[in-house]
Amino acid sequence: MSATALRHDWTLAEVRALFQQPFNDLLFQAQSVHRQHFDPNRVQVSTLLSIKTGACPEDCKYCPQSGHYNTGLEKEKLMEVQKVLEAAAEAKAIGSTRFCMGAAWKHPSAKDMPYVLQMVQGVKALGLETCMTLGRLDQEQTRALADAGLDYYNHNLDTSPEFYGNIITTRTYGERLQTLAYVREAGMKICSGGILGMGESVDDRAGLLIQLANLPEHPESVPINMLVKVQGTPLAEEKDVDPFDFIRTLAVARILMPKSHVRLSAGREQMNEQMQSLAFLAGANSIFYGEKLLTTGNPQADKDMQLFARLGIQPEAREEHADEVHQAAIEQALVEQRNSELFYDAATA
Ligand code: SF4
């Protein structure tokens, strides 16, 4: 079987063997696979906006938004639809093709859903791809989001099933897989990845990638995050990941999921330009762009463009050039929003 065939039956022994290769051999293999499916000098650019920040009931040990830890993070209620659309328009103006909206929830409530759906419709009408991360979804919610035009749903597996219980106790691995199954069933694309630097072993990194690659279909988008250590979270004092081990994980992700966009995600601000360029060589071909990545810093957009220019990289165009900008649809979404119960009132949350 060729190294680039899409497989869903990876074993731990095989993936361990990939990780154990000499660094140059692994990078060569990953870059060879990458070139069979992608233009190596194109990187997809997304913008991420936190639409509801903090006070999350989950206990993810890495997350400053968890209500279980005191990180001094300023909590924010669900943003007004109009403000979200304004941010999306700005993201489009600086070259983003996908707009990701994240809410710190266990799951969206029935009361929140109409606003969330309006956001999807409005952002879609701007001609951007839409992505949301809202926590666990039930079948009805996934269908409603798909009907509103949501392209991607982000729900990370975070780590291997074996290590997972050390990081999160309020939501099971099985629940995460169930949400991903509902997202597929509703016909949306999946964005799912994990975080490195939480004290996991190399086998846990392999275990995470095996879970993702052995799904019935590979996630279209695979964010690989480097832990951003935030004071007040239980992982604030974790040891740094060796930068080469981080690059190795990107390379293995590229080999296991040859057609997926592998995203260099949180933690990019801590990486120097040399490390970022190695990440692109390993097959990473997507980044978040803009000033904030949910609640942690992200390199300035112009700095990213300068690096792209120095490396001869171009931002990838939208996958589907479907919609022109439907100004009427945006206006309609805003009118509907103004005429309805207007904005979410945190006091009644
Ligand atoms: S990672 Fe998501 S689910 Fe977990 S605490 Fe943070 S916002 Fe909540």
Side-chain angles (χ1 to χ4, degrees):
M1 177 171 286
S2 111
T4 59
L6 292 190
R7 286 184 48 191
H8 303 271
D9 58 353
W10 288 94
T11 65
L12 183 59
E14 287 175 304
V15 177
R16 250 189 212 149
L18 288 173
F19 270 99
Q20 285 165 359
Q21 287 185 86
F23 188 75
N24 284 344
D25 291 350
L26 176 60
L27 251 65
F28 179 74
Q29 188 181 347
Q31 178 64 204
S32 306
V33 168
H34 188 53
R35 282 170 183 260
Q36 291 178 26
H37 298 284
F38 291 102
D39 179 336
N41 301 310
R42 295 257 172 197
V43 170
Q44 190 271 331
V45 174
S46 299
T47 293
L48 178 58
L49 175 72
S50 179
I51 59 171
K52 185 267 170 187
T53 305
C56 182
E58 304 286 359
D59 69 349
C60 312
K61 286 198 170 67
Y62 52 81
C63 183
Q65 302 208 63
S66 169
H68 295 254
Y69 318 123
N70 188 4
T71 58
L73 180 76
E74 205 173 313
K75 302 173 188 67
E76 288 168 25
K77 61 183 181 178
L78 185 64
M79 274 176 85
E80 297 166 5
V81 176
Q82 186 173 3
K83 292 225 163 87
V84 173
L85 299 189
E86 284 165 8
E90 274 174 38
K92 184 174 175 172
I94 60 165
S96 276
T97 55
R98 189 178 308 159
F99 193 65
C100 307
M101 295 159 267
W105 285 323
K106 188 176 192 69
H107 52 75
S109 70
K111 193 173 57 178
D112 297 318
M113 279 303 284
Y115 299 100
V116 162
L117 297 176
Q118 283 177 33
M119 290 174 193
V120 175
Q121 287 158 348
V123 173
K124 186 90 175 157
L126 284 166
L128 286 161
E129 287 183 309
T130 50
C131 177
M132 280 195 157
T133 181
L134 312 171
R136 194 184 71 216
L137 296 179
D138 63 29
Q139 244 171 328
E140 202 184 315
Q141 289 171 328
T142 15
R143 285 182 189 146
L145 287 165
D147 288 347
L150 188 65
D151 297 299
Y152 286 81
Y153 194 73
N154 164 264
H155 202 53
N156 290 333
L157 293 180
D158 286 352
T159 188
S160 68
E162 294 76 18
F163 191 66
Y164 182 84
N166 297 323
I167 304 298
I168 300 130
T169 66
T170 51
R171 174 186 288 155
T172 67
Y173 212 82
E175 285 172 324
R176 289 186 186 249
L177 291 169
Q178 182 62 73
T179 294
L180 293 182
Y182 288 150
V183 170
R184 273 288 180 235
E185 206 179 283
M188 288 183 285
K189 294 176 188 165
I190 288 179
C191 172
S192 186
I195 306 173
L196 270 56
M198 303 191 292
E200 75 285 344
S201 65
V202 173
D203 274 2
D204 290 317
R205 292 172 194 160
L208 164 71
L209 297 180
I210 289 169
Q211 285 289 323
L212 295 167
N214 289 354
L215 287 170
E217 282 178 71
H218 294 166
E220 283 78 5
S221 194
V222 180
I224 303 293
N225 298 282
M226 172 90 92
L227 176 70
V228 177
K229 292 181 258 188
V230 179
Q231 280 309 319
T233 61
L235 298 184
E237 307 301 331
E238 269 307 322
K239 259 179 52 196
D240 286 344
V241 181
D242 180 304
F244 296 117
D245 287 345
F246 184 83
I247 300 293
R248 278 179 192 278
T249 308
L250 290 171
V252 174
R254 165 53 62 226
I255 294 165
L256 265 55
M257 292 167 277
K259 291 189 170 179
S260 303
H261 277 82
V262 175
R263 177 173 304 137
L264 187 54
S265 207
R268 196 160 64 89
E269 196 173 53
Q270 279 75 50
M271 297 173 201
N272 63 25
E273 293 180 334
Q274 291 82 354
M275 183 165 169
Q276 290 188 55
S277 60
L278 261 188
F280 298 136
L281 189 66
N285 62 343
S286 175
I287 60 164
F288 277 120
Y289 176 73
E291 293 188 1
K292 286 278 170 192
L293 187 53
L294 285 179
T295 60
T296 54
N298 195 33
Q300 296 286 324
D302 58 348
K303 214 168 134 197
D304 292 335
M305 283 303 132
Q306 283 166 19
L307 179 61
F308 276 14
R310 286 167 67 200
L311 298 176
I313 287 176
Q314 301 273 335
E316 193 177 272
R318 259 197 68 158
E319 280 172 352
E320 313 142 1
H321 295 274
D323 320 342
E324 304 144 39
V325 178
H326 298 303
Q327 190 58 33
I330 301 168
E331 279 161 16
Q332 179 63 26
L334 290 173
V335 168
E336 274 172 24
Q337 180 223 352
R338 283 188 206 110
N339 291 347
S340 65
E341 280 304 80
L342 282 191
F343 311 133
Y344 183 82
D345 179 355
T348 62

